[in-house]
Amino acid sequence: PANFKFRHYRHQPGNPASLRSNWVQQILETRQGLFLVGTNDGLQIFDKKKNASTTFSPAVENGPVSFPENISVNALFEDGQGEIWIGTWLDGLYRYIPGSKSLHHYAPDPNDSLSLSSNKITSISEDSRGWIWIATHSGGMNCFDKNRNRFSSFTTQNGLPNDVVFAILEDN
């Protein structure tokens, strides 16, 4: 520990290069070396060399979906294909595919049983088969099938003891 230095970053009013909020909920270092910082007031990219943050606003070429600037980010995950999954509190799930510069938004649809079960995402993980698992607060857990672009939900109706799930881990 004597060789390590800790640096404290915080929101500085009037400084657009500081964190947007002191309430940091998730940090993810991508394979490209980007540090994504999820706060209760948005998602930022932190530049280690400059000690500065910028708002996450990916270049998107697939149409009208854009990433909201002031959103509470609860979960960040990079899957095996390099896709970035962003779980929010109250705004569902976002999936950014850097290679095609596409952004997808998933939210519950009461008329579609194969949609996301809750807007409150608590955790995201990937199993050994490449399936994406989403833990939610109030909607149990979801498994996303990338090939079919649909969700399967698992709740108390399927045997979960509670519909509040904080994390999902694959066992043997």
Side-chain angles (χ1 to χ4, degrees):
N3 296 333
F4 294 103
K5 284 187 176 182
F6 288 92
R7 194 173 273 171
H8 188 182
Y9 296 95
R10 60 178 64 213
H11 172 67
Q12 299 168 1
N15 181 357
S18 75
L19 291 174
R20 293 178 61 96
S21 169
N22 288 327
W23 187 346
V24 174
Q25 299 177 132
Q26 287 283 307
I27 298 173
L28 171 69
E29 183 177 12
T30 68
R31 281 182 231 144
Q32 275 74 38
L34 293 176
F35 275 92
L36 297 178
V37 181
T39 74
N40 70 329
D41 193 24
L43 181 60
Q44 293 179 273
I45 299 171
F46 180 75
D47 185 325
K48 296 186 297 188
K49 293 175 185 168
K50 296 179 182 176
N51 283 325
S53 298
T54 56
T55 299
F56 177 79
S57 55
V60 177
E61 296 178 356
N62 68 320
V65 177
S66 62
F67 191 76
E69 191 171 307
N70 301 78
I71 194 167
S72 184
V73 176
N74 273 11
L76 293 169
F77 183 75
E78 182 179 21
D79 69 19
Q81 295 178 323
E83 297 176 4
I84 306 297
W85 296 82
I86 305 160
T88 71
W89 189 256
L90 300 179
D91 200 40
L93 180 69
Y94 289 84
R95 172 186 177 197
Y96 179 62
I97 305 171
S100 63
K101 295 184 178 177
S102 60
L103 182 69
H104 305 273
H105 180 227
Y106 305 98
D109 179 349
N111 299 316
D112 183 359
S113 64
L114 299 175
S115 69
L116 188 65
S117 65
S118 172
N119 271 329
K120 300 175 183 176
I121 310 302
T122 55
S123 181
I124 307 164
S125 61
E126 182 176 22
D127 69 18
S128 57
R129 296 171 295 199
W131 292 4
I132 303 299
W133 290 86
I134 299 98
T136 74
H137 188 286
S138 73
M141 61 184 184
N142 294 252
C143 181
F144 183 71
D145 182 339
K146 286 184 180 183
N147 296 325
R148 295 183 178 155
N149 203 39
R150 67 182 191 186
F151 294 87
S152 299
S153 345
F154 303 92
T155 65
T156 53
Q157 294 176 342
N158 305 100
L160 285 181
N162 194 304
D163 283 337
V164 177
V165 179
F166 289 106
I168 301 170
L169 296 173
E170 182 176 21
D171 67 7
N172 297 342

